[in-house]
Amino acid sequence: MNTAQYKETLCSIYGKTIAIVYIFEGDEAEGYKHYEIWKSDVISSWMFAVEELHCMPLIMDMRTFVQKAMNNTLPYIDYVINLNNGTLNISVLGVVPSICNFLNIPCIPCDTTTIVCGENKKISNIIANYAGLNIPKELTETMMDGIIRPIGLGSSLGVKKIGNMIVDKDDNFLYQEFIKGCDITTPLLYNPLTSKLEVLPGVLYFPNEFDANWFLGEEQKRYHSGYSKKIAMLSPEASEKYISLAYEMGINTYCRIDARLKCDDVNDLYSILQGVIPLERLYFLEINPMPTIKANINFHTSLDGLTEQNPLYACYDAYKELVQNASHTGFILSNAIISYL
């Protein structure tokens, strides 16, 4: 669509009812245990985004949403934002989108199949390999210099580098070759002007004291320590493969892809960053079909790095012209909604 059509479509969203379904920390159901819960900063970011679009937010916890859905007592809802994340049981992550599918309500950002396949790292690695991305070699329990990643956890929980240790195979973990270099995360977002997903600038984790053996572990992720962030651009070939993977996963709204940027030392890294990052340097780690969206988080950092060369730049420019006090989350939400139209 052209810019005029985009603005007309954006106006058509006004007045919609958008439910924000979140996690109530006091829910102690046995199968509903979490390793992470999105709190008020995330919930409020989405709430303000809904109001920014002149829509009506309907906020409720997951159990209430399910009960009302099954009892046919939900008010009319146009869209649901699913904030049920971080459960230890991957299957439980599919509750909200499954109910939405049952009721024929679009669920943002994705459906149950996408969540389960994306959150299970074994499955997502297989699909990424099929889509043409480099995958770290899977190791046996007798091979050294690897890294262990839990199949279903996020926030770098349980990620451990193994040196000269011998580990027992465990179906709950991936045991892969450690790729020397840096961690890089790259968001993807639907672009109404091109009617397809686009790759946003990558966010590179640059170690304070560069060491090709450094990685974003649990402690570094929790305390945001040991690194600074730099914007990096992917090559057209790498971007094409990322988009292909997202579509293979059934993603049409937004997501984030984490990878290792392979390099030997700091000089090698600086040489790579002089241009765009080639596909052969990137090794897929995981895809996040439900990335955290709030201020000062990677998705927002990436949007801050948009340049006129990125196709989403013109779209965001048009959004800011039309929407007063436009926010990153509002832009992401509007694009996700339009992807369903």
Side-chain angles (χ1 to χ4, degrees):
M1 65 175 71
N2 58 35
T3 303
Q5 291 170 324
Y6 166 66
K7 291 181 177 179
E8 183 179 335
T9 303
L10 197 58
C11 289
S12 72
I13 297 173
Y14 290 5
K16 302 294 185 184
T17 298
I18 302 177
I20 301 172
V21 181
Y22 73 99
I23 304 159
F24 173 54
E25 289 188 69
D27 195 326
E28 298 179 352
E30 184 62 30
Y32 198 43
K33 293 182 178 178
H34 291 77
Y35 62 85
E36 181 181 44
I37 289 178
W38 281 330
K39 297 184 182 290
S40 58
D41 53 349
V42 175
I43 298 170
S44 61
S45 180
W46 284 108
M47 183 178 68
F48 289 134
V50 171
E51 293 180 337
E52 179 179 311
L53 296 174
H54 301 284
C55 294
M56 294 180 289
L58 176 63
I59 305 167
M60 66 182 74
D61 67 283
M62 191 190 81
R63 185 182 288 272
T64 300
F65 174 75
V66 172
Q67 289 175 338
K68 283 185 169 293
M70 292 299 97
N71 292 329
N72 199 28
T73 57
L74 277 174
Y76 181 82
I77 295 171
D78 292 289
Y79 300 94
V80 167
I81 298 171
N82 178 21
L83 298 186
N84 171 40
N85 79 306
T87 60
L88 293 172
N89 185 341
I90 291 178
S91 298
V92 178
L93 294 173
V95 171
V96 173
S98 291
I99 294 293
C100 288
N101 189 257
F102 179 76
L103 299 175
N104 197 30
I105 301 173
C107 186
I108 296 169
C110 56
D111 64 16
T112 298
T113 303
T114 296
I115 291 174
V116 172
C117 291
E119 294 291 337
N120 186 309
K121 294 184 183 66
K122 280 189 177 179
I123 295 175
S124 63
N125 268 254
I126 292 170
I127 298 174
N129 186 42
Y130 174 80
L133 293 173
N134 301 311
I135 307 297
K137 182 171 61 178
E138 187 171 356
L139 302 180
T140 69
E141 63 273 15
T142 57
M143 299 176 75
M144 307 302 173
D145 197 23
I147 191 163
I148 290 177
R149 301 180 187 278
I151 293 297
L153 301 182
S155 298
S156 296
L157 293 176
V159 177
K160 297 178 181 178
K161 190 173 183 295
I162 304 300
N164 295 319
M165 294 173 59
I166 295 177
V167 297
D168 295 326
K169 277 288 188 177
D170 188 327
D171 290 337
N172 295 313
F173 292 85
L174 272 182
Y175 182 32
Q176 294 178 312
E177 170 192 12
F178 177 76
I179 305 298
K180 291 186 176 183
C182 292
D183 286 82
I184 181 170
T185 185
T186 308
L188 282 73
L189 178 63
Y190 179 79
N191 184 352
L193 297 185
T194 59
S195 299
K196 67 184 186 72
L197 288 171
E198 308 280 5
V199 173
L200 288 163
V203 179
L204 181 78
Y205 291 87
F206 194 99
N208 292 344
E209 296 182 9
F210 187 83
D211 179 357
N213 289 301
W214 185 92
F215 67 97
L216 188 65
E218 184 176 338
E219 183 177 341
Q220 291 80 8
K221 188 75 174 283
R222 179 185 297 126
Y223 297 109
H224 308 288
S225 62
Y227 62 84
S228 59
K229 292 183 179 181
K230 296 184 182 296
I231 293 295
M233 305 299 176
L234 272 59
S235 70
E237 183 185 12
S239 297
E240 181 183 335
K241 294 298 183 183
Y242 272 31
I243 293 169
S244 176
L245 169 60
Y247 283 138
E248 288 290 346
M249 298 291 301
I251 294 168
N252 296 295
T253 55
Y254 59 85
C255 66
R256 203 188 70 233
I257 295 174
D258 297 343
R260 285 288 285 182
L261 171 57
K262 186 175 183 179
C263 57
D264 297 322
D265 52 43
V266 68
N267 292 327
D268 189 22
L269 176 60
Y270 278 131
S271 175
I272 297 168
L273 296 180
Q274 291 301 310
V276 293
I277 297 175
L279 176 64
E280 60 268 20
R281 290 279 193 165
L282 293 168
Y283 283 76
F284 174 84
L285 297 180
E286 62 182 278
I287 185 168
N288 190 336
M290 295 177 62
T292 305
I293 307 291
K294 67 170 184 175
N296 302 316
I297 207 73
N298 285 326
F299 223 109
H300 280 211
T301 302
S302 180
L303 283 170
D304 286 335
L306 273 178
T307 64
E308 293 184 17
Q309 286 68 47
N310 192 296
L312 274 161
Y313 184 91
C315 186
Y316 202 3
D317 223 27
Y319 180 83
K320 287 183 283 191
E321 283 182 19
L322 190 66
V323 178
Q324 189 175 15
N325 299 318
S327 70
H328 288 344
T329 304
F331 179 60
I332 294 165
L333 175 58
S334 66
N335 286 16
I337 290 174
I338 293 173
S339 74
Y340 281 104
L341 299 178

